[in-house]
Amino acid sequence: MINMNENHISKNIEKIRQNINLACKESGRKADDIIILGVTKTIDAEDIKKAVDEGIYHLGENRVQEFLEKEDKIDNVKWHIIGHLQTNKVKYIIGKTFLIHSVESIKLAKEIDRLSSQKGITTDVLIEVNVSGEESKYGIRCEDIDSFLDEIDKFNAVKVKGFMTMAPKDAADNEIRQIFRKLYKIYVDISQKKYNNISMEYLSMGMSSDYELAILEGANIVRVGSAMFKQ
């Protein structure tokens, strides 16, 4: 049974890479520039290790508690926090993440900055943007990005490395692409401005159902969970 599961995860990852190669070829990009972020929500450590064995070195957790349960069990990986992050949970993850994807309030950014300063480190984050305007989604509005970044630029121990967004569930491909395209344009525009602690290096867009569309529209991090670990 273990070998069957391992083979299944291996085949899933092979298919994901094939799809990424095709999307990159279509958009004139290099597959090596795309980070495949394995979303490990509800996935046990043994299956995660099988993905790591296949070269998935970036892992993303939605919940802090799950992250804390798994981080010591998986070696030689870079952990991302991709779910909604409460300010009272920040203390548990400072110094343990490659990127926090879900910064969507000054209050949260301020707490990350405060605790990072206490530890003498800098924490890299992405700003979560609610491009679609859905009330059920977290994230700042596109029209608030400039003022939000101006505020965060005053911090010393937080570095903004780019943006993250999610497309509406069950939206048509054309609508999804428009949402991703809109954030990519903002990403490029911001990259041309001068800030002290803000640089546009990562654009985290796309999940299992739409990662290929995200790559076509400029994403360089795709968050893939069910497509990687499904039986």
Side-chain angles (χ1 to χ4, degrees):
M1 179 62 72
I2 293 176
N3 288 335
M4 287 176 62
N5 287 340
E6 184 174 8
N7 187 48
H8 202 86
I9 291 170
S10 176
K11 286 184 176 179
N12 287 343
I13 292 172
E14 182 181 0
K15 180 63 176 175
I16 291 165
R17 287 196 170 114
Q18 288 174 354
N19 291 339
I20 288 173
N21 284 334
L22 290 172
C24 285
K25 186 176 181 180
E26 183 176 342
S27 55
R29 304 177 66 197
K30 296 179 180 178
D32 288 345
D33 294 336
I34 310 299
I35 293 175
I36 304 173
L37 180 57
V39 178
T40 57
K41 179 182 178 182
T42 74
I43 306 300
D44 63 41
E46 290 308 308
D47 279 349
I48 297 171
K49 288 176 183 177
K50 292 165 188 170
V52 174
D53 288 342
E54 296 295 328
I56 303 300
Y57 301 123
H58 289 263
L59 303 176
E61 264 299 339
N62 291 69
R63 298 176 59 196
V64 170
Q65 185 59 42
E66 274 200 67
F67 164 70
L68 295 174
E69 291 170 359
K70 295 171 184 176
E71 59 154 335
D72 291 334
K73 299 176 182 177
I74 316 292
D75 297 324
N76 302 315
V77 297
K78 296 177 178 179
W79 283 103
H80 302 233
I81 296 295
I82 60 175
H84 178 63
L85 179 60
Q86 297 173 308
T87 53
N88 63 351
K89 299 289 181 66
V90 173
K91 59 189 175 186
Y92 299 115
I93 65 169
I94 289 298
K96 299 180 178 181
T97 61
F98 179 77
L99 274 177
I100 298 173
H101 288 227
S102 47
V103 173
E104 41 80 39
S105 72
I106 295 299
K107 179 183 177 183
L108 176 59
K110 190 175 291 185
E111 182 67 356
I112 295 171
D113 182 70
R114 183 182 74 84
L115 293 172
S116 299
S117 293
Q118 284 183 1
K119 287 199 169 188
I121 63 172
T122 300
T123 298
D124 293 339
V125 307
L126 303 182
I127 303 305
E128 182 172 3
V129 184
N130 186 351
V131 181
S132 65
E134 290 180 281
E135 291 185 6
S136 61
K137 279 192 170 61
Y138 291 103
I140 67 171
R141 301 180 303 171
C142 291
E143 53 265 38
D144 294 331
I145 288 176
D146 284 334
S147 60
F148 194 89
L149 293 178
D150 286 342
E151 192 68 24
I152 290 188
D153 199 39
K154 300 172 185 176
F155 299 154
N156 295 314
V158 170
K159 287 196 178 296
V160 174
K161 295 289 190 175
F163 297 127
M164 182 269 267
T165 198
M166 290 183 286
K169 189 177 181 181
D170 301 324
D173 286 0
N174 186 53
E175 180 184 356
I176 292 171
R177 291 190 67 167
Q178 286 178 356
I179 287 167
F180 291 157
R181 191 177 304 145
K182 182 175 182 179
L183 189 57
Y184 177 72
K185 183 179 185 304
I186 295 171
Y187 170 86
V188 171
D189 289 345
I190 295 295
S191 70
Q192 296 170 353
K193 298 181 180 181
K194 293 197 180 298
Y195 290 97
N196 293 319
N197 65 348
I198 296 167
S199 60
M200 294 291 106
E201 297 179 31
Y202 301 112
L203 188 55
S204 174
M205 305 191 299
M207 301 169 71
S208 287
S209 61
D210 55 17
Y211 66 89
E212 295 139 287
L213 301 178
I215 290 169
L216 291 174
E217 299 301 338
N220 57 15
I221 298 179
V222 290
R223 309 179 303 274
V224 185
S226 59
M228 183 175 296
F229 293 105
K230 66 185 177 182
Q231 297 291 328

